[in-house]
Amino acid sequence: MTQRIAVLGATGSIGDSTLAILAAQPQHYEVYALSGYHRLDKLFTLCQQFLPKRVSVPMAAVDEFAQRLSTAGLDIEVVAGEAGLIDIATDTQTDTVVAAIVGAAGLPSTLAAARAGKRILLANKEALVMAGQVMIDAVKTHNATLLPLDSEHNAIFQCLPLEIQQDNTQIHRSEYGVRKLWLTASGGPFLQHSFEKMQQASVAEAVKHPNWSMGQKISVDSATMMNKGLELIEACHLFDLSENKINVVIHPQSIIHSMVEYSDGSFLAQLGSPDMKTPIAHALSYPNRIDSGAQPLDLYALSGLEFIEPDLQKFACLRLARQAMQAGTHATIVLNAANEVAVAAFLKNQIRLTDIARINEQALNEIQAPSLNATADIEDILAIDTIARGYTDKLVLELA
Ligand code: NDP
Ligand code: MG
């Protein structure tokens, strides 16, 4: 039977990699629905190529986009805005939701997919950073399946025994012997540069990642290592561990995508070319395997693999992520919101790259967000997100 897939964030980098696999495997997958936001010409081309049944666009674009499809003779239903994304994510015809919208904008549809019991392929790490416990509870209560696309988390998932893959709380059973998780980080484009050089970084330099080709926001996050901080929080939720059980190591070659350390001294690692098609194909076909189209790793061409301890002075965002995780979900929501605002300001040339960590730290230390209790839901999360964005906007204005 073919799996019907909804790709939310189809016009982005993860969307590209996902659709390349789906295009090559039509016998297994049907592209049921797509979404885009700014790049609507690209979305239109994807509609022509994949002929989905449904497509979601921003509210303001719905009439024009529907007209364009109909003029082209394409019978595709157009839905709009957050409600449209949720509609697609919960559609009874949707089997699998690829959650590839960037930032907090992806949370409502991802959570809705969990509550509708879908198979979720999660790229949108911000959803877990903001709503980790709520998301994980929703997955369990509604029998959804959550498979990580983030290459590090996908690597760890692959290195864990089946019992833990199926139920993350099993990670605490001593017979499985999981001692620590090791997240690898490339160190980004400024690994070899001084803090002073980083201060002067242009947008073009910051988004030029040495190993991975990604969207702008995550590329900036990689340059500040906030990405690894967000991934640390993501890993805590996905694998039911506290932050002190998760180490970060810089591995500039991005060949080992992460590791699990076991009590007998074994380290299990997943290796591959730095190409998101591998983790996406893994999650699409799990527990089977398909051809991802990624270049196989050429082991003879590898000259050496390095491992370096991160400098938490230079990459303060990584330290802030641990601080936020220790403080609780209210703090991880604040950190994520502040970072989204600060990264957007950097991309508009309003602040320097190194201001991002300063702003994030100030927001984290100064915003008095209420702790969330066990019954907290998405409204409570979004309320803190809104407060943090308002506060951070002011911090940006002071610096700009
Ligand atoms: P891109 O910026 O390339 O794509 C983001 C997608 O989200 C686009 O489809 C974009 O639409 C859509 N989008 C943006 N804003 C909104 C909004 N307000 N409402 C609805 N849709 C919106 O990002 P990536 O593909 O690189 O990353 C997507 C997610 O995956 C992020 O959370 C990232 O952290 C994560 N991730 C990415 C990896 C990568 O290699 N790229 C690796 C691991 C995780 P449009 O383009 O039409 O504006
Ligand atoms: Mg990653």
Side-chain angles (χ1 to χ4, degrees):
M1 236 187 43
T2 56
Q3 232 186 100
R4 279 164 306 203
I5 319 273
V7 186
L8 303 184
T11 45
S13 163
I14 293 288
D16 285 343
S17 300
T18 305
L19 289 168
I21 301 169
L22 301 183
Q25 307 271 347
Q27 70 282 25
H28 295 309
Y29 308 106
E30 176 190 332
V31 178
Y32 176 70
L34 299 173
S35 90
Y37 198 69
H38 291 113
R39 287 175 273 190
L40 297 182
D41 288 339
K42 179 169 179 183
L43 186 64
F44 180 76
T45 306
L46 293 175
C47 286
Q48 289 176 306
Q49 184 185 350
F50 289 97
L51 302 174
K53 300 281 186 300
R54 312 187 74 191
V55 62
S56 180
V57 297
M59 202 62 89
V62 65
D63 291 338
E64 196 187 329
F65 200 80
Q67 185 59 50
R68 213 171 149 187
L69 291 174
S70 119
T71 306
L74 297 173
D75 181 19
I76 300 172
E77 185 199 352
V78 185
V79 293
E82 190 173 291
L85 294 169
I86 291 174
D87 191 348
I88 284 175
T90 58
D91 187 327
T92 52
Q93 299 291 306
T94 301
D95 298 316
T96 296
V97 174
V98 179
I101 290 174
V102 61
L107 172 60
S109 51
T110 308
L111 185 57
R115 290 186 170 150
K118 300 298 183 191
R119 180 179 173 105
I120 302 167
L121 275 46
L122 184 77
N124 178 220
K125 64 192 85 185
E126 295 91 346
L128 273 187
V129 171
M130 296 175 72
Q133 199 52 52
V134 175
M135 274 284 299
I136 299 293
D137 287 350
V139 166
K140 289 188 177 157
T141 308
H142 299 278
N143 253 324
T145 304
L146 185 61
L147 295 164
L149 293 190
D150 214 345
S151 57
E152 296 77 4
H153 307 73
N154 183 273
I156 288 168
F157 184 90
Q158 293 197 49
C159 295
L160 287 169
L162 186 65
E163 291 80 357
I164 300 178
Q165 292 180 353
Q166 289 170 343
D167 172 4
N168 64 358
T169 61
Q170 299 290 312
I171 203 163
H172 303 290
R173 291 181 63 157
S174 62
E175 61 266 42
Y176 295 124
V178 175
R179 193 187 270 163
K180 269 188 181 286
L181 306 182
W182 288 82
L183 289 174
T184 52
S186 69
F190 303 111
L191 179 62
Q192 307 299 345
H193 296 295
S194 66
F195 182 82
E196 289 65 36
K197 177 90 197 292
M198 226 172 125
Q199 236 168 2
Q200 309 305 326
S202 68
V203 169
E205 286 165 338
V207 301
K208 199 173 173 308
H209 196 277
N211 305 333
W212 299 91
S213 149
M214 310 183 285
Q216 287 213 312
K217 192 256 175 184
I218 183 176
S219 297
V220 176
D221 284 347
S222 297
T224 60
M225 283 192 79
M226 187 70 249
N227 183 49
K228 213 49 54 182
L230 298 176
E231 290 184 355
L232 176 84
I233 299 167
E234 180 186 15
C236 291
H237 293 299
L238 280 173
F239 304 113
D240 198 35
L241 290 175
S242 52
E243 56 79 30
N244 61 357
K245 295 277 188 193
I246 304 173
N247 286 0
V248 172
V249 61
I250 293 180
H251 164 49
Q253 294 77 20
S254 299
I255 295 298
I256 293 182
H257 298 309
S258 279
M259 293 170 269
V260 180
E261 177 185 341
Y262 286 91
S263 54
D264 60 4
S266 299
F267 280 61
L268 296 198
Q270 185 258 3
L271 289 72
S273 306
D275 184 334
M276 287 305 294
K277 290 203 285 298
T278 296
I280 295 169
H282 167 265
L284 274 170
S285 59
Y286 177 81
N288 301 327
R289 299 268 178 180
I290 55 170
D291 184 353
S292 70
Q295 274 298 327
L297 198 56
D298 182 355
L299 289 172
Y300 296 133
L302 287 179
S303 57
L305 302 181
E306 294 168 282
F307 301 96
I308 306 162
E309 192 175 348
D311 173 352
L312 296 184
Q313 298 265 342
K314 186 168 153 193
F315 296 113
C317 289
L318 192 49
R319 169 174 59 76
L320 297 179
R322 285 200 191 274
Q323 181 190 324
M325 194 61 210
Q326 284 165 5
T329 302
H330 60 285
T332 62
I333 301 167
V334 166
L335 180 59
N336 179 68
N339 183 61
E340 282 192 31
V341 171
V343 170
F346 170 69
L347 288 171
K348 284 187 263 173
N349 284 308
Q350 292 170 335
I351 59 170
R352 293 178 301 188
L353 181 69
T354 46
D355 291 333
I356 295 173
R358 277 176 57 195
I359 288 176
N360 289 352
E361 179 147 30
Q362 220 174 324
L364 193 58
N365 290 336
E366 290 174 8
I367 296 173
Q368 302 293 327
S371 288
L372 292 176
N373 60 30
T375 59
D377 206 340
I378 188 163
E379 298 76 27
D380 310 290
I381 291 167
L382 293 177
I384 297 177
D385 177 77
T386 304
I387 294 170
R389 280 169 200 271
Y391 189 90
T392 314
D393 280 336
K394 288 195 203 114
L395 294 179
V396 167
L397 275 180
E398 285 167 22
L399 277 176

